[in-house]
Amino acid sequence: MNRTTRTGFRAATPLVLLIGGGGLAAATWTNGDHGFAIGLIGFYLIAAIAAYLWSGRDSDVAAIMRVGGDERQRRLDRDATSVSGLAMAAAATIGTVVQTATGQHNAGAYALIMFVGGVSYLIALAYLRIRH
């Protein structure tokens, strides 16, 4: 493992966790499940603290969490993002097929995920092709 310098924005990942978790907790509170909302606040607060502490380490994952890695670490992040996108596309496709095959007519959520993924891929491909 290569030693990395600690550059980047250490609070990047914790902020994403706090904003996303806060939004989910607010939606849960609004829905009337106050106990679960408080639990979500606690969970995301602990996760953000753990992410902040982890992002201060000298490792590839910490550098990616700080959004300040070198070229190799950015490539690792890009490749992991690609694999997770393929996994989400496969799950959405399988979900749509299973929902449709079992006669359930509510496959729309899976189909929407597939639509958003396909459109965002085409836009990104066009943008990157023009940019490079």
Side-chain angles (χ1 to χ4, degrees):
M1 178 170 65
N2 294 341
R3 302 281 295 172
T4 63
T5 59
R6 293 183 191 182
T7 60
F9 182 53
R10 187 174 177 189
T13 300
L15 282 174
V16 169
L17 287 167
L18 290 174
I19 292 168
L24 182 58
T28 304
W29 184 277
T30 302
N31 194 36
D33 197 350
H34 300 170
F36 189 55
I38 292 169
L40 285 171
I41 291 169
F43 172 78
Y44 279 102
L45 186 59
I46 291 169
I49 291 168
Y52 184 80
L53 294 174
W54 192 351
S55 67
R57 300 179 64 201
D58 283 332
S59 69
D60 291 333
V61 173
I64 291 167
M65 290 172 69
R66 286 191 303 270
V67 193
D70 58 23
E71 183 179 326
R72 184 183 63 82
Q73 291 159 339
R74 287 190 299 270
R75 188 179 66 246
L76 286 171
D77 183 40
R78 185 194 63 226
D79 292 349
T81 301
S82 297
V83 170
S84 68
L86 291 171
M88 286 177 36
T93 302
I94 292 167
T96 301
V97 170
V98 169
Q99 292 282 341
T100 304
T102 58
Q104 300 177 26
H105 300 290
N106 59 352
Y110 292 113
L112 178 63
I113 293 169
M114 290 181 359
F115 176 77
V116 169
V119 169
S120 63
Y121 178 82
L122 290 175
I123 291 170
L125 186 62
Y127 171 76
L128 293 171
R129 186 165 186 264
I130 291 167
R131 190 173 140 215
H132 295 291

